[in-house]
Amino acid sequence: MYVEVVRHANNKRVFLQSIGPEHLVIRTDKPQISVKVRKLPAMCKPSHCNYEINDKIVPVVTGFNFNQQTGEVKIQFKNGQELHDMYQSSATFGNTECAIIELTANEARCYIGMNDHGKPQLPAGSHLPRFHYVGTGFSPVEAQVKPFEYKPQIVSISPKKGSTEGGLKLKISGEGFDFTKYDVNQVLIEGTPCTCLLYTSDAADDLLCVDLGGRRIIKKK
């Protein structure tokens, strides 16, 4: 393992903002840290560059509870003896920031935002909490922890009438819409796709689309 990008240097030392899982796909639990500068390897005594990967000394997520009415997420730990400063911790749930308000050796409490319809600002999908502590890094999640399954839902559509030729802007309100990527939400009218112009806001969970029209068969009564 070697560092390819130097974030910043100070007093002849190289610092990473964080060491993520992409750096830890290695074959040993006691790798040697090395640095290459313009492909030139830096000299280092083995005792100075030892690094140990040991999940036994970091907090491990053993379970969690999610309250859909309040947006509260409770994350349970073991090996949490190093967790003593709430301001050194952060968490996400479903790739959504979860603001931590309380931290103990056994549990973290955090909240995700709620939209204007009183529903969590959470994209549809299968979600597990992701916890990070500055002194220990990201916490692994035990294999038996089951993810929370969140399904999208339409709350309202406006307007409810339009031309057979299309061209009408439709506002679809609901929950579980994914605002992290542009092309993951698809709107259809009887199988015909709409062109999504914009996502109005995370807080509203609204989609604003244009009915293309002109390609639907109108059934006569």
Side-chain angles (χ1 to χ4, degrees):
M1 179 178 69
Y2 63 88
V3 180
E4 294 186 14
V5 179
V6 177
R7 300 290 185 182
H8 60 276
N10 186 25
N11 296 330
K12 298 182 180 180
R13 297 179 182 179
V14 173
F15 296 89
L16 284 178
Q17 291 180 348
S18 65
I19 298 179
E22 69 275 9
H23 295 108
L24 302 182
V25 183
I26 50 182
R27 299 178 181 178
T28 175
D29 58 357
K30 294 183 178 180
Q32 290 288 303
I33 303 296
S34 63
V35 174
K36 289 185 177 181
V37 181
R38 296 174 182 170
K39 298 184 179 181
L40 296 176
M43 303 297 294
C44 181
K45 294 181 180 180
S47 59
H48 293 171
C49 295
N50 290 340
Y51 181 76
E52 181 179 358
I53 301 170
N54 188 346
D55 285 346
K56 294 181 180 179
I57 63 174
V58 303
V60 177
V61 176
T62 59
F64 72 96
N65 301 103
F66 175 50
N67 188 324
Q68 296 187 61
Q69 279 66 49
T70 64
E72 181 187 46
V73 183
K74 293 182 178 179
I75 308 172
Q76 290 88 40
F77 304 103
K78 66 179 182 181
N79 302 336
Q81 59 273 9
E82 298 295 328
L83 302 178
H84 52 79
D85 188 351
M86 181 180 73
Y87 299 102
Q88 298 294 311
S89 62
S90 61
T92 58
F93 187 60
N95 293 323
T96 302
E97 181 181 357
C98 195
I100 294 179
I101 63 166
E102 184 179 357
L103 179 66
T104 68
N106 301 314
E107 185 179 79
R109 291 177 58 218
C110 64
Y111 282 86
I112 62 174
M114 306 293 285
N115 65 26
D116 293 345
H117 310 295
K119 300 296 183 180
Q121 290 180 351
L122 192 67
S126 181
H127 305 311
L128 287 169
R130 181 87 159 140
F131 179 80
H132 181 268
Y133 192 71
V134 170
T136 58
F138 286 105
S139 292
V141 180
E142 288 190 335
Q144 71 269 18
V145 178
K146 294 183 179 180
F148 172 75
E149 303 292 340
Y150 194 48
K151 296 182 179 180
Q153 181 178 341
I154 295 174
V155 175
S156 64
I157 300 171
S158 178
K160 292 183 176 293
K161 296 181 180 180
S163 167
T164 59
E165 296 302 316
L168 185 70
K169 290 183 180 180
L170 300 175
K171 181 180 178 181
I172 300 107
S173 301
E175 58 185 278
F177 301 158
D178 191 341
F179 295 94
T180 62
K181 296 181 180 179
Y182 179 75
D183 57 351
V184 295
N185 303 301
Q186 186 180 22
V187 178
L188 304 171
I189 300 179
E190 200 66 34
T192 300
C194 285
T195 299
C196 285
L197 291 182
L198 93 115
Y199 307 140
T200 56
S201 72
D202 290 1
D205 261 11
D206 294 334
L207 298 176
L208 188 60
C209 302
V210 169
D211 176 12
L212 297 182
R215 286 180 286 175
R216 293 191 298 278
I217 297 176
I218 307 300
K219 295 181 180 180
K220 295 181 180 180
K221 293 183 179 180

PDB file of all heavy atoms in Angstrom, residues 115 117 153-158 170-177 200 204-208:
ATOM      1  N   ASN A 115     -38.679  15.918   5.506  1.00  0.00           N
ATOM      2  CA  ASN A 115     -39.163  16.776   4.419  1.00  0.00           C
ATOM      3  C   ASN A 115     -40.448  17.492   4.823  1.00  0.00           C
ATOM      4  O   ASN A 115     -40.939  17.353   5.945  1.00  0.00           O
ATOM      5  CB  ASN A 115     -39.346  15.977   3.126  1.00  0.00           C
ATOM      6  CG  ASN A 115     -40.438  14.921   3.232  1.00  0.00           C
ATOM      7  OD1 ASN A 115     -41.375  15.020   4.016  1.00  0.00           O
ATOM      8  ND2 ASN A 115     -40.321  13.882   2.426  1.00  0.00           N
ATOM      9  N   HIS A 117     -43.357  16.967   4.081  1.00  0.00           N
ATOM     10  CA  HIS A 117     -44.499  16.077   4.289  1.00  0.00           C
ATOM     11  C   HIS A 117     -44.359  15.273   5.585  1.00  0.00           C
ATOM     12  O   HIS A 117     -45.151  14.375   5.844  1.00  0.00           O
ATOM     13  CB  HIS A 117     -44.651  15.118   3.108  1.00  0.00           C
ATOM     14  CG  HIS A 117     -44.638  15.792   1.774  1.00  0.00           C
ATOM     15  ND1 HIS A 117     -45.623  16.666   1.381  1.00  0.00           N
ATOM     16  CD2 HIS A 117     -43.752  15.741   0.749  1.00  0.00           C
ATOM     17  CE1 HIS A 117     -45.354  17.124   0.166  1.00  0.00           C
ATOM     18  NE2 HIS A 117     -44.225  16.584  -0.232  1.00  0.00           N
ATOM     19  N   GLN A 153     -42.634   6.381  -2.289  1.00  0.00           N
ATOM     20  CA  GLN A 153     -44.086   6.507  -2.266  1.00  0.00           C
ATOM     21  C   GLN A 153     -44.489   7.866  -2.826  1.00  0.00           C
ATOM     22  O   GLN A 153     -43.853   8.882  -2.539  1.00  0.00           O
ATOM     23  CB  GLN A 153     -44.622   6.360  -0.834  1.00  0.00           C
ATOM     24  CG  GLN A 153     -46.127   6.465  -0.719  1.00  0.00           C
ATOM     25  CD  GLN A 153     -46.608   6.265   0.710  1.00  0.00           C
ATOM     26  OE1 GLN A 153     -45.896   5.723   1.539  1.00  0.00           O
ATOM     27  NE2 GLN A 153     -47.812   6.700   1.001  1.00  0.00           N
ATOM     28  N   ILE A 154     -45.560   7.884  -3.644  1.00  0.00           N
ATOM     29  CA  ILE A 154     -46.116   9.131  -4.157  1.00  0.00           C
ATOM     30  C   ILE A 154     -47.189   9.625  -3.196  1.00  0.00           C
ATOM     31  O   ILE A 154     -48.087   8.872  -2.821  1.00  0.00           O
ATOM     32  CB  ILE A 154     -46.705   8.931  -5.564  1.00  0.00           C
ATOM     33  CG1 ILE A 154     -45.605   8.571  -6.559  1.00  0.00           C
ATOM     34  CG2 ILE A 154     -47.433  10.190  -6.032  1.00  0.00           C
ATOM     35  CD1 ILE A 154     -46.129   8.229  -7.939  1.00  0.00           C
ATOM     36  N   VAL A 155     -47.093  10.903  -2.813  1.00  0.00           N
ATOM     37  CA  VAL A 155     -48.070  11.506  -1.909  1.00  0.00           C
ATOM     38  C   VAL A 155     -49.136  12.265  -2.695  1.00  0.00           C
ATOM     39  O   VAL A 155     -50.328  12.180  -2.405  1.00  0.00           O
ATOM     40  CB  VAL A 155     -47.374  12.444  -0.903  1.00  0.00           C
ATOM     41  CG1 VAL A 155     -48.403  13.175  -0.042  1.00  0.00           C
ATOM     42  CG2 VAL A 155     -46.410  11.657  -0.024  1.00  0.00           C
ATOM     43  N   SER A 156     -48.715  13.025  -3.717  1.00  0.00           N
ATOM     44  CA  SER A 156     -49.689  13.797  -4.494  1.00  0.00           C
ATOM     45  C   SER A 156     -49.126  14.115  -5.873  1.00  0.00           C
ATOM     46  O   SER A 156     -47.907  14.109  -6.079  1.00  0.00           O
ATOM     47  CB  SER A 156     -50.066  15.096  -3.775  1.00  0.00           C
ATOM     48  OG  SER A 156     -48.943  15.951  -3.667  1.00  0.00           O
ATOM     49  N   ILE A 157     -50.039  14.391  -6.814  1.00  0.00           N
ATOM     50  CA  ILE A 157     -49.687  14.793  -8.177  1.00  0.00           C
ATOM     51  C   ILE A 157     -50.499  16.035  -8.528  1.00  0.00           C
ATOM     52  O   ILE A 157     -51.695  16.098  -8.254  1.00  0.00           O
ATOM     53  CB  ILE A 157     -49.995  13.671  -9.189  1.00  0.00           C
ATOM     54  CG1 ILE A 157     -49.202  12.409  -8.863  1.00  0.00           C
ATOM     55  CG2 ILE A 157     -49.687  14.123 -10.615  1.00  0.00           C
ATOM     56  CD1 ILE A 157     -49.611  11.213  -9.687  1.00  0.00           C
ATOM     57  N   SER A 158     -49.833  17.009  -9.131  1.00  0.00           N
ATOM     58  CA  SER A 158     -50.518  18.241  -9.510  1.00  0.00           C
ATOM     59  C   SER A 158     -49.911  18.808 -10.796  1.00  0.00           C
ATOM     60  O   SER A 158     -48.689  18.860 -10.930  1.00  0.00           O
ATOM     61  CB  SER A 158     -50.391  19.271  -8.384  1.00  0.00           C
ATOM     62  OG  SER A 158     -50.996  20.490  -8.742  1.00  0.00           O
ATOM     63  N   LEU A 170     -45.627  18.667 -14.548  1.00  0.00           N
ATOM     64  CA  LEU A 170     -46.247  17.893 -13.477  1.00  0.00           C
ATOM     65  C   LEU A 170     -45.387  17.988 -12.222  1.00  0.00           C
ATOM     66  O   LEU A 170     -44.167  17.843 -12.283  1.00  0.00           O
ATOM     67  CB  LEU A 170     -46.374  16.424 -13.880  1.00  0.00           C
ATOM     68  CG  LEU A 170     -47.215  16.114 -15.117  1.00  0.00           C
ATOM     69  CD1 LEU A 170     -47.132  14.631 -15.440  1.00  0.00           C
ATOM     70  CD2 LEU A 170     -48.654  16.543 -14.893  1.00  0.00           C
ATOM     71  N   LYS A 171     -46.026  18.203 -11.093  1.00  0.00           N
ATOM     72  CA  LYS A 171     -45.350  18.208  -9.805  1.00  0.00           C
ATOM     73  C   LYS A 171     -45.743  16.945  -9.053  1.00  0.00           C
ATOM     74  O   LYS A 171     -46.918  16.730  -8.755  1.00  0.00           O
ATOM     75  CB  LYS A 171     -45.737  19.450  -8.995  1.00  0.00           C
ATOM     76  CG  LYS A 171     -45.041  19.531  -7.640  1.00  0.00           C
ATOM     77  CD  LYS A 171     -45.468  20.800  -6.895  1.00  0.00           C
ATOM     78  CE  LYS A 171     -44.828  20.882  -5.532  1.00  0.00           C
ATOM     79  NZ  LYS A 171     -45.246  22.095  -4.777  1.00  0.00           N
ATOM     80  N   ILE A 172     -44.761  16.096  -8.788  1.00  0.00           N
ATOM     81  CA  ILE A 172     -45.005  14.843  -8.069  1.00  0.00           C
ATOM     82  C   ILE A 172     -44.345  14.951  -6.708  1.00  0.00           C
ATOM     83  O   ILE A 172     -43.128  15.135  -6.612  1.00  0.00           O
ATOM     84  CB  ILE A 172     -44.449  13.627  -8.832  1.00  0.00           C
ATOM     85  CG1 ILE A 172     -45.105  13.508 -10.212  1.00  0.00           C
ATOM     86  CG2 ILE A 172     -44.675  12.350  -8.057  1.00  0.00           C
ATOM     87  CD1 ILE A 172     -44.230  13.887 -11.341  1.00  0.00           C
ATOM     88  N   SER A 173     -45.132  14.870  -5.657  1.00  0.00           N
ATOM     89  CA  SER A 173     -44.621  14.949  -4.293  1.00  0.00           C
ATOM     90  C   SER A 173     -44.670  13.566  -3.658  1.00  0.00           C
ATOM     91  O   SER A 173     -45.576  12.776  -3.934  1.00  0.00           O
ATOM     92  CB  SER A 173     -45.448  15.935  -3.460  1.00  0.00           C
ATOM     93  OG  SER A 173     -45.415  17.226  -4.026  1.00  0.00           O
ATOM     94  N   GLY A 174     -43.704  13.287  -2.812  1.00  0.00           N
ATOM     95  CA  GLY A 174     -43.696  11.985  -2.164  1.00  0.00           C
ATOM     96  C   GLY A 174     -42.537  11.808  -1.223  1.00  0.00           C
ATOM     97  O   GLY A 174     -42.022  12.769  -0.659  1.00  0.00           O
ATOM     98  N   GLU A 175     -42.086  10.569  -1.079  1.00  0.00           N
ATOM     99  CA  GLU A 175     -40.985  10.245  -0.196  1.00  0.00           C
ATOM    100  C   GLU A 175     -40.124   9.163  -0.831  1.00  0.00           C
ATOM    101  O   GLU A 175     -40.581   8.395  -1.688  1.00  0.00           O
ATOM    102  CB  GLU A 175     -41.498   9.766   1.157  1.00  0.00           C
ATOM    103  CG  GLU A 175     -42.413   8.561   1.076  1.00  0.00           C
ATOM    104  CD  GLU A 175     -42.997   8.173   2.417  1.00  0.00           C
ATOM    105  OE1 GLU A 175     -42.297   7.478   3.172  1.00  0.00           O
ATOM    106  OE2 GLU A 175     -44.151   8.567   2.696  1.00  0.00           O
ATOM    107  N   GLY A 176     -38.869   9.147  -0.457  1.00  0.00           N
ATOM    108  CA  GLY A 176     -37.953   8.144  -0.969  1.00  0.00           C
ATOM    109  C   GLY A 176     -37.309   8.504  -2.285  1.00  0.00           C
ATOM    110  O   GLY A 176     -36.543   7.715  -2.828  1.00  0.00           O
ATOM    111  N   PHE A 177     -37.592   9.691  -2.822  1.00  0.00           N
ATOM    112  CA  PHE A 177     -36.941  10.118  -4.061  1.00  0.00           C
ATOM    113  C   PHE A 177     -35.453  10.343  -3.789  1.00  0.00           C
ATOM    114  O   PHE A 177     -35.065  10.781  -2.706  1.00  0.00           O
ATOM    115  CB  PHE A 177     -37.567  11.406  -4.601  1.00  0.00           C
ATOM    116  CG  PHE A 177     -39.034  11.307  -4.910  1.00  0.00           C
ATOM    117  CD1 PHE A 177     -39.833  12.432  -4.957  1.00  0.00           C
ATOM    118  CD2 PHE A 177     -39.630  10.080  -5.165  1.00  0.00           C
ATOM    119  CE1 PHE A 177     -41.190  12.353  -5.243  1.00  0.00           C
ATOM    120  CE2 PHE A 177     -40.970   9.975  -5.452  1.00  0.00           C
ATOM    121  CZ  PHE A 177     -41.759  11.116  -5.489  1.00  0.00           C
ATOM    122  N   THR A 200     -37.053  20.033  -7.105  1.00  0.00           N
ATOM    123  CA  THR A 200     -37.229  21.342  -6.481  1.00  0.00           C
ATOM    124  C   THR A 200     -36.428  21.490  -5.193  1.00  0.00           C
ATOM    125  O   THR A 200     -35.801  22.501  -4.970  1.00  0.00           O
ATOM    126  CB  THR A 200     -38.719  21.592  -6.194  1.00  0.00           C
ATOM    127  OG1 THR A 200     -39.224  20.528  -5.380  1.00  0.00           O
ATOM    128  CG2 THR A 200     -39.497  21.654  -7.491  1.00  0.00           C
ATOM    129  N   ALA A 204     -38.613  19.273   0.173  1.00  0.00           N
ATOM    130  CA  ALA A 204     -39.972  19.067  -0.324  1.00  0.00           C
ATOM    131  C   ALA A 204     -40.177  17.668  -0.886  1.00  0.00           C
ATOM    132  O   ALA A 204     -41.291  17.170  -0.915  1.00  0.00           O
ATOM    133  CB  ALA A 204     -40.283  20.097  -1.397  1.00  0.00           C
ATOM    134  N   ASP A 205     -39.090  17.020  -1.314  1.00  0.00           N
ATOM    135  CA  ASP A 205     -39.209  15.740  -2.010  1.00  0.00           C
ATOM    136  C   ASP A 205     -40.195  15.843  -3.170  1.00  0.00           C
ATOM    137  O   ASP A 205     -41.148  15.078  -3.292  1.00  0.00           O
ATOM    138  CB  ASP A 205     -39.637  14.625  -1.046  1.00  0.00           C
ATOM    139  CG  ASP A 205     -38.444  13.796  -0.598  1.00  0.00           C
ATOM    140  OD1 ASP A 205     -37.311  14.207  -0.860  1.00  0.00           O
ATOM    141  OD2 ASP A 205     -38.642  12.727   0.010  1.00  0.00           O
ATOM    142  N   ASP A 206     -39.985  16.834  -4.027  1.00  0.00           N
ATOM    143  CA  ASP A 206     -40.846  17.041  -5.186  1.00  0.00           C
ATOM    144  C   ASP A 206     -40.055  16.843  -6.475  1.00  0.00           C
ATOM    145  O   ASP A 206     -38.886  17.200  -6.560  1.00  0.00           O
ATOM    146  CB  ASP A 206     -41.419  18.472  -5.200  1.00  0.00           C
ATOM    147  CG  ASP A 206     -42.371  18.722  -4.042  1.00  0.00           C
ATOM    148  OD1 ASP A 206     -42.961  17.748  -3.548  1.00  0.00           O
ATOM    149  OD2 ASP A 206     -42.500  19.892  -3.643  1.00  0.00           O
ATOM    150  N   LEU A 207     -40.717  16.273  -7.476  1.00  0.00           N
ATOM    151  CA  LEU A 207     -40.158  16.176  -8.817  1.00  0.00           C
ATOM    152  C   LEU A 207     -40.974  17.064  -9.737  1.00  0.00           C
ATOM    153  O   LEU A 207     -42.201  17.086  -9.668  1.00  0.00           O
ATOM    154  CB  LEU A 207     -40.215  14.731  -9.322  1.00  0.00           C
ATOM    155  CG  LEU A 207     -39.427  13.681  -8.544  1.00  0.00           C
ATOM    156  CD1 LEU A 207     -39.697  12.293  -9.139  1.00  0.00           C
ATOM    157  CD2 LEU A 207     -37.944  13.977  -8.585  1.00  0.00           C
ATOM    158  N   LEU A 208     -40.306  17.820 -10.604  1.00  0.00           N
ATOM    159  CA  LEU A 208     -40.999  18.652 -11.581  1.00  0.00           C
ATOM    160  C   LEU A 208     -40.625  18.155 -12.969  1.00  0.00           C
ATOM    161  O   LEU A 208     -39.470  18.216 -13.366  1.00  0.00           O
ATOM    162  CB  LEU A 208     -40.599  20.123 -11.418  1.00  0.00           C
ATOM    163  CG  LEU A 208     -41.386  21.141 -12.254  1.00  0.00           C
ATOM    164  CD1 LEU A 208     -42.872  21.079 -11.908  1.00  0.00           C
ATOM    165  CD2 LEU A 208     -40.852  22.540 -12.037  1.00  0.00           C
TER     166      LEU A 208
END
